[in-house]
Amino acid sequence: MYVCIHEVTQKEYETFCRYGKSMESNVPNAKEGIGENYPAYYLNWYDAIVYCNLRSLAEGFAPAYSLNGETNPAKWDGILSETVEGVTKYCGPNSKTDDWDYKGGDDVGIKFNPSASGYRLPTEAEWEYIARGGNKGIPAEQTKYSGSDDNKEVSWDLSNSENTSHPVMTKKHNSLGIYDMTGNVWEWCWDWSGKIIATEEEVTPGTGCESGTWHISRGGNWCSSPMSVSSRSGSWPTTIYGNGLGLRVVRNAE
């Protein structure tokens, strides 16, 4: 796959999308980091999906996600929009909606086409593989954090951030040349949270669990303790407040 070497920035996100503003304080600000090269945050999982498809359409790629067969988020029921000076920007719902929450099979909700060429969230398995630098498990080559055993080399977190986000790519990258897989902002993954199973009888698919309460987020953020490459977390698909939730995009290789 192709992987963006940095988290989606505020400039990139705001090209297509708005912030949900379920509370007036839930937008990037000077206290928590604001600027073109700062990561976008206060994004819920729905916002991340909307961004991926809008960017894919703008750049001529086949969107990875659909809702009721439609891939243009501007046409999705429940989409939020705001038009300023003739430019319309979008974001996902502020409240949890079963209409957007795919639970497997023929159920309604946002569906993922894993063969599409467009931008998408990594699956949890992909995210961890990237964070580990493509390392397949040789113990001597593993690092606790993405690119180092010393979190301060690679991560903006509770230990060094001064309680604010920082511009992307200001810490050391990992062995693949990818930055901020540890710290700065939590990164949404595609998967629902759930137990990962690998037995002779059952194996969790590479796209993760098809149902759950939370969606996976990985990597930690500026106000969390440093998170190892194996640390798992998750949040409601509408969570934005206080968690520094953002995203990183990937695309399938040609």
Side-chain angles (χ1 to χ4, degrees), residues 51-95:
Y51 172 81
C52 287
N53 269 28
L54 289 176
R55 182 171 174 182
S56 296
L57 289 167
E59 297 185 18
F61 297 113
Y65 306 114
S66 63
L67 182 63
N68 299 323
E70 175 60 62
T71 59
N72 185 352
K75 299 178 181 179
W76 289 356
D77 290 340
I79 192 77
L80 302 181
S81 64
E82 182 178 41
T83 301
V84 178
E85 297 181 352
V87 178
T88 303
K89 298 182 181 181
Y90 301 89
C91 69
N94 289 327
S95 57

Side-chain angles (χ1 to χ4, degrees), residues 144-145 151 155 157-159 182-183 219-221 224-228 231:
K144 183 175 182 179
Y145 307 106
N151 65 292
S155 171
D157 54 54
L158 186 62
S159 70
T182 303
N221 76 338
S224 71
S225 299
M227 297 290 164
S228 72
S231 297

